[in-house]
Amino acid sequence: MNRREIITLYYMQHRDETVGFVAMRIHDADQAQDMVQDIFLRLLSGTHLISSQTLPSLVCTMARHAVSDYYRRRRVCQEYEHYISHRGATCEAESVVNATLLVERMERSLARLPEACREVYRLHIYDGLQVSSIAEQLHLPYKQVENRLGQARKHVRRQLRLCV
């Protein structure tokens, strides 16, 4: 059996079990189904070495990490909502202006970067891609993408510090 067949067979046999595992921890069945679907999509599109013996452990680990990520994002959102609710409407216009200025400064600093670094930085920041995904998409070595992203980050940080 090839990699895809192993994953498909495991998905058909253990999907409900995995959804139950996640749903029991996050108390949201719809969200759990989405998370499990994302796990299996990542497995299908990834480059993990998978066999019928290693797949159950890998799925369980990925599910636990997805639950942890869910609660981490949820906590950050709650903190932000709390912050926004206590700031009041008087600072809302100021926040929008500050955010707009920050984006403009970042775009200006990106314009000064070489095209290769700029492209990697945009894919990482705006599209939310990981270094491995960017490397695959641009057909570049992982380390090269990592270095370009590091250069871009340093440049943008330096430029934003100069503007503040």
Side-chain angles (χ1 to χ4, degrees):
M1 278 173 50
N2 69 18
R3 183 177 184 285
R4 175 171 240 128
E5 291 170 345
I6 293 171
I7 295 170
T8 303
L9 181 63
Y10 188 86
Y11 178 78
M12 292 186 324
Q13 292 175 347
H14 298 282
R15 179 194 168 281
D16 294 335
E17 178 185 336
T18 310
V19 169
F21 174 83
V22 174
M24 186 179 3
R25 285 156 177 75
I26 67 168
H27 309 292
D28 184 351
D30 293 333
Q31 182 68 29
Q33 288 178 359
D34 289 345
M35 289 167 71
V36 169
Q37 185 177 6
D38 287 344
I39 289 168
F40 281 97
L41 284 174
R42 270 190 270 138
L43 283 170
L44 285 169
S45 63
T47 58
H48 302 89
L49 293 174
I50 294 176
S51 69
S52 57
Q53 289 81 27
T54 61
L55 186 58
S57 298
L58 183 58
V59 169
C60 184
T61 300
M62 291 176 80
R64 282 188 288 117
H65 288 230
V67 169
S68 297
D69 291 344
Y70 170 82
Y71 280 112
R72 191 175 301 117
R73 272 192 309 276
R74 187 172 158 192
R75 188 189 76 234
V76 168
C77 288
Q78 287 173 344
E79 288 173 358
Y80 182 72
E81 287 171 357
H82 177 75
Y83 171 77
I84 293 297
S85 67
H86 285 84
R87 290 243 348 193
T90 57
C91 296
E92 198 168 307
E94 180 183 331
S95 296
V96 170
V97 169
N98 287 341
T100 304
L101 288 173
L102 186 63
V103 169
E104 286 175 6
R105 289 176 182 161
M106 190 171 81
E107 286 298 324
R108 267 189 261 130
S109 68
L110 282 177
R112 295 181 182 135
L113 280 171
E115 179 61 34
C117 292
R118 187 178 333 142
E119 184 177 13
V120 168
Y121 190 80
R122 285 184 191 281
L123 287 171
H124 182 69
I125 296 297
Y126 294 126
D127 296 343
L129 295 178
Q130 304 250 341
V131 174
S132 56
S133 301
I134 296 170
E136 191 175 301
Q137 185 175 337
L138 298 177
H139 307 292
L140 295 171
Y142 181 89
K143 278 295 189 184
Q144 189 175 15
V145 172
E146 201 174 53
N147 288 337
R148 287 179 182 179
L149 182 59
Q151 289 173 355
R153 283 178 172 162
K154 285 179 188 175
H155 179 76
V156 170
R157 262 190 250 126
R158 193 176 318 116
Q159 292 300 318
L160 290 177
R161 274 193 212 117
L162 293 175
C163 295
V164 174

